Amino acid sequence: MSQPTSAPMIALERVSRWHGQVIGLNDVSFQLPAGLTALLGPNGAGKSTLLKLVTGQLKPHTGRVIAMGMEPFANPTLASHLGYCPEIDNFYEELTGREFVTLLAAMNGIQGATAKKRIQEVMEQVGMADRCDRRIGGYSKGMRQRIKVAQAIVHDPDILVMDEPLNGLDPVGRREMVELMQSFAARGKCVLVSSHILYEVEQITDRILVIFKGRVLAQGNIHDIRDQIDKHPHHIRIITDRPRELAANLIFQPFVLSARVDPKDEKLIEVETHQPDIFYGALPKIALAGNFQIERFHSPDNNLEAVFRYLVGDA
């Protein structure tokens, strides 16, 4: 799902920003290439501050923010290359969705027949073609969200920043929005999406940027980051016909830390290992050699929620 790395389209160099006595970001540095990156962090972690710095709404107190080779703050040249879908609604309620997006398109220099054609295309992309001529004041939360996305992409930006873009959407709308973001990334755009719904992020991209208390905890591929958290054992649950025998076999393997039968489910073994790749490669051979029938196995640690929990817990 993630895209091949390339030259950075967004870069922060030792950036700090505070709000009164509260630190929003603290000496943050990272680079984002083209592709789709999910920005993760609990409330108050600094996500909103980071997005406002990237989109030029705030100026860093120290350090530099670079987007498309330019500093974003008060930079109208960069604005034409950047699309922003904020979390908070801020509409002219008396306008229709089409009128609102037309206004934002005009601010980016798109007018006349070109604007009319482009806006129709965008309305179809966000699923609002049959509803965009109704007043925004009568829109549902999901419809308002779709119009926010429409204004963010109407000028086909090179950098697309989306703050909680799935809020208010039904399951179909969420799937459509994910596909839209992925299509942008596939075209070589840089898409930065902030979200707190971890299981949905896993469907969007495997490339994440985690911030906590104003600092970057991790950046990169979810699975690579999980592999680096070696102080936490990897848990694997196995359902088998002879659990005690299999557990006894596994416990003598050098890559297994522990193997125990669950007292509440006598067919379930829980294994701990610091070398999951080696374990997954060896398990089929062990099962065949001992003629064990393995019904299924899974790991509760093979997901973004576990990675996020470990990172924040260690910070």
Side-chain angles (χ1 to χ4, degrees):
M1 284 182 286
S2 62
Q3 304 302 315
T5 58
S6 59
M9 296 183 73
I10 298 173
L12 270 67
E13 302 171 359
R14 307 202 66 177
V15 169
S16 294
R17 170 77 197 197
W18 49 89
H19 310 283
Q21 300 299 313
V22 179
I23 295 177
L25 289 183
N26 187 5
D27 197 29
V28 167
S29 297
F30 65 82
Q31 296 182 346
L32 296 183
L36 183 49
T37 302
L39 174 63
L40 304 176
N43 290 336
K47 299 193 303 295
S48 294
T49 299
L50 191 155
L51 296 183
K52 288 178 180 178
L53 286 164
V54 170
T55 54
Q57 299 174 70
L58 293 177
K59 184 177 182 180
H61 286 120
T62 61
R64 296 181 71 207
V65 180
I66 303 296
M68 301 285 296
M70 298 173 274
E71 295 189 8
F73 184 71
N75 188 336
T77 302
L78 178 62
S80 63
H81 296 278
L82 192 149
Y84 177 51
C85 176
E87 179 182 13
I88 298 173
D89 290 357
N90 192 8
F91 292 108
Y92 297 107
E93 302 285 336
E94 71 279 6
L95 297 182
T96 66
R98 188 188 301 274
E99 289 170 341
F100 180 76
V101 177
T102 299
L103 175 63
L104 273 293
M107 291 181 179
N108 280 286
I110 306 173
Q111 298 178 328
T114 300
K116 185 176 181 180
K117 180 175 182 291
R118 176 60 185 159
I119 290 165
Q120 184 61 31
E121 292 172 350
V122 168
M123 291 303 176
E124 291 172 0
Q125 278 186 281
V126 302
M128 286 293 291
D130 60 341
R131 297 172 287 180
C132 61
D133 292 311
R134 292 161 53 183
R135 289 189 176 183
I136 294 173
Y139 281 177
S140 66
K141 185 172 178 59
M143 292 164 67
R144 297 166 78 90
Q145 191 70 13
R146 291 171 185 267
I147 288 297
K148 282 195 296 184
V149 174
Q151 63 79 29
I153 67 173
V154 68
H155 55 300
D156 195 26
D158 296 298
I159 296 175
L160 180 60
V161 178
M162 309 186 80
D163 194 355
E164 301 287 353
L166 305 182
N167 280 358
L169 296 174
D170 59 24
V172 173
R174 292 184 181 208
R175 187 188 72 246
E176 292 172 349
M177 203 58 63
V178 168
E179 290 174 352
L180 186 150
M181 291 186 287
Q182 291 174 338
S183 70
F184 255 72
R187 292 167 52 212
K189 311 285 189 176
C190 179
V191 182
L192 178 59
V193 53
S194 170
S195 178
H196 68 283
I197 306 174
L198 299 184
Y199 73 89
E200 288 188 334
V201 168
E202 287 188 294
Q203 308 303 313
I204 298 173
T205 182
D206 55 15
R207 199 166 71 197
I208 61 174
L209 175 66
V210 181
I211 65 171
F212 184 61
K213 295 182 179 178
R215 290 184 175 274
V216 173
L217 294 187
Q219 179 188 4
N221 181 279
I222 295 171
H223 307 294
D224 292 343
I225 292 170
R226 177 63 185 89
D227 290 344
Q228 294 167 15
I229 311 173
D230 55 8
K231 70 172 69 175
H232 296 283
H234 194 96
H235 296 80
I236 299 147
R237 293 172 181 166
I238 304 171
I239 303 292
T240 182
D241 60 334
R242 290 149 47 214
R244 295 188 185 280
E245 292 179 52
L246 180 56
N249 188 309
L250 291 173
I251 199 64
F252 289 105
Q253 304 298 327
F255 46 83
V256 172
L257 298 173
S258 69
R260 67 180 186 87
V261 178
D262 191 318
K264 296 181 181 179
D265 184 348
E266 294 188 353
K267 296 182 69 177
L268 173 64
I269 306 172
E270 182 158 314
V271 180
E272 291 185 332
T273 176
H274 277 319
Q275 298 174 292
D277 289 343
I278 294 176
F279 178 87
Y280 288 130
L283 182 60
K285 300 174 185 176
I286 293 170
L288 285 171
N291 198 27
F292 294 105
Q293 299 296 318
I294 294 179
E295 296 179 19
R296 65 179 184 274
F297 66 92
H298 78 282
S299 171
D301 289 340
N302 276 340
N303 59 50
L304 178 55
E305 185 173 355
V307 171
F308 185 74
R309 184 174 65 248
Y310 290 146
L311 289 170
V312 172
D314 289 342

